[in-house]
Amino acid sequence: MLDSVVTSAAGLSQEAAAPLALRPLLVELGDLKRVRSAGRAGSIAERLFAQGWSALTGGAPAETVALDITAKALAASRLCDLDAAFLAAAGLSPTDASAVLVDGLDAVTEPVDPDLRARLRACLRAPADLPSGPVPAFVGALAQQPRAGVTCPGKPRILLEPPENHAEHCLVVAVYGVLLSPFYRADPTTVFLAAMAHHFHNAAMPDAGFTGEMLLGDHLWPIVGRCSEWALDELDPPLRETVRAARLVLPDDATAEGRAFHAADSIDRVLQIAQHLRAASLTMETVLGEMELVHAGPVKTFQDRVLTDMRIP
């Protein structure tokens, strides 16, 4: 893999800590936190988070859920809410709907590990009939819990509106974790579950960020532990113990799964801020030129003249 080796300042080769080729895809997937549609509550990321937990509590194998949710997220990165349910309602046959979804996935997954990509494509070509179990209360609580923004002890916080919520963050980290797992030779199912559950404590604990955590001092980890257990207690065994075991990779990067998770978590946290900066620096040259806001069609010439005469931009 070309991007698995980088050159240090001293000119010596060293292993890369992350696969650079996946960066554009991860940026695009992060926007699932911000895509909404009429008649559907919450963002795509928020709804996929709930779907994933419903399937898990319904008894679906964790591996199946990890691949299914990741495949749906990849298709949605370009198709948004033109998902299987909508395509069926609009009259497409299951075969035609699957083909559209696979095309959506294929449009963005060229840099994904080939074996993983094939498994994800198979999820859309022959969708699993996932069971729907009860959605745990922590799912709704995490969706209502905004993240803290940019905080640093001793300094006022920087709030960026609208804030993401913890359900959205957990879902995107889980999808990132699956896609990053081959690079770290990690088990994608463990990484997915760990990411889906890594903010269990915030279902009850308001997010005061790094600043608040430092001010709690020695009280921090006992509080986090108690709040996490409240969420775990909502799950029946054996799912509870499966999730608890996956969460063992969270404290450090000593395992391949820990490295995949922490890579996904840090990438999402920083890309979330980068999205705000990208939007703030957007130019009309990009919008009208590169992105072709007024795109080719039978009235484009007239539209261009209207914009020129109105001095827009």
Side-chain angles (χ1 to χ4, degrees):
M1 184 181 296
L2 292 178
D3 56 6
S4 65
V5 176
V6 297
T7 302
S8 68
L12 301 176
S13 294
Q14 61 182 8
E15 288 294 318
L20 178 59
L22 283 177
R23 184 185 186 280
L25 172 56
L26 302 186
V27 171
E28 198 164 348
L29 282 166
D31 283 336
L32 296 182
K33 301 174 188 175
R34 293 168 277 275
V35 179
R36 291 169 170 78
S37 298
R40 302 192 187 194
S43 67
I44 290 178
E46 185 178 321
R47 285 182 268 118
L48 286 176
F49 183 70
Q51 286 179 37
W53 279 112
S54 175
L56 288 167
T57 64
E63 180 181 19
T64 301
V65 176
L67 293 174
D68 178 82
I69 295 296
T70 300
K72 288 174 178 174
L74 287 165
S77 66
R78 291 290 171 88
L79 288 166
C80 299
D81 268 325
L82 302 180
D83 59 8
F86 169 79
L87 295 174
L92 271 67
S93 69
T95 299
D96 287 342
S98 293
V100 170
L101 295 173
V102 170
D103 284 347
L105 183 148
D106 286 347
V108 296
T109 53
E110 189 277 331
V112 173
D113 174 82
D115 291 340
L116 176 59
R117 184 172 185 258
R119 296 176 73 193
L120 294 167
R121 292 177 93 249
C123 288
L124 298 180
R125 286 203 177 280
D129 186 16
L130 296 181
S132 295
V135 178
F138 63 72
V139 171
L142 288 170
Q144 294 174 9
Q145 192 76 273
R147 286 176 55 76
V150 183
T151 70
C152 181
K155 300 176 182 177
R157 74 181 60 241
I158 300 172
L159 291 174
L160 298 169
E161 296 290 339
E164 62 180 326
N165 64 52
H166 280 82
E168 292 167 332
H169 168 66
C170 288
L171 183 283
V172 171
V173 173
V175 171
Y176 283 6
V178 171
L179 298 176
L180 290 166
S181 287
F183 181 84
Y184 298 101
R185 297 181 175 86
D187 172 41
T189 304
T190 298
V191 179
F192 179 85
L193 285 179
M196 291 282 279
H198 80 285
H199 273 284
F200 266 3
H201 57 286
N202 286 117
M205 181 181 182
D207 190 355
F210 184 31
T211 299
E213 291 174 354
M214 292 302 96
L215 289 172
L216 283 173
D218 292 340
H219 301 296
L220 172 63
W221 291 113
I223 291 174
V224 168
R226 282 192 291 273
C227 291
S228 297
E229 284 299 320
W230 293 342
L232 281 164
D233 285 345
E234 294 184 40
L235 303 175
D236 292 332
L239 177 59
R240 181 193 308 147
E241 299 313 314
T242 300
V243 173
R244 192 189 301 277
R247 282 170 48 88
L248 293 176
V249 309
L250 297 178
D252 54 48
D253 61 357
T255 62
E257 290 71 29
R259 289 188 287 277
F261 164 75
H262 285 290
D265 184 46
S266 58
I267 290 169
D268 181 58
R269 281 189 284 139
V270 177
L271 285 183
Q272 171 68 17
I273 307 305
Q275 185 274 334
H276 287 278
L277 300 177
R278 187 170 74 250
S281 62
L282 188 65
T283 66
M284 276 296 182
E285 181 180 353
T286 297
V287 170
L288 291 175
E290 181 181 337
M291 299 303 292
E292 300 183 66
L293 180 63
V294 180
H295 46 266
V299 297
K300 185 178 187 306
T301 299
F302 173 70
Q303 290 172 324
D304 286 341
R305 287 175 51 204
V306 167
L307 294 175
T308 298
D309 290 346
M310 291 294 290
R311 298 181 183 177
I312 303 173

